[in-house]
Amino acid sequence: MDLGLKDRVYVVTGATRGLGHASARALVAEGAKVVVTGRKEDAVAEAVSALGPDAAAGVAVDNAD
């Protein structure tokens, strides 16, 4: 199904694991690009690697700040 997400950019918070990561994977599968956030730099880097560096960028940040 084409949801019309190709080349759009989405920010997904808490995307290093769980529901956030699953949401980021679904967006990338539809052709979107994502910016993933998480609190730990190594977890963010791992998530970006899993999603594909052409489709994802990451920022280590505590969103509560």
Side-chain angles (χ1 to χ4, degrees):
M1 169 184 350
D2 182 10
L3 299 175
L5 304 180
K6 185 171 176 21
D7 295 328
R8 291 181 182 230
V9 179
Y10 295 88
V11 176
V12 185
T13 61
T16 58
R17 60 190 175 100
L19 187 57
H21 190 70
S23 298
R25 277 195 325 263
L27 288 165
V28 168
E30 287 293 325
K33 302 202 182 296
V34 295
V35 176
V36 297
T37 71
R39 286 181 280 172
K40 298 181 180 178
E41 197 169 320
D42 58 334
V44 171
E46 187 176 318
V48 169
S49 178
L51 294 167
D54 292 336
V59 179
V61 63
D62 186 347
N63 291 320
D65 289 340

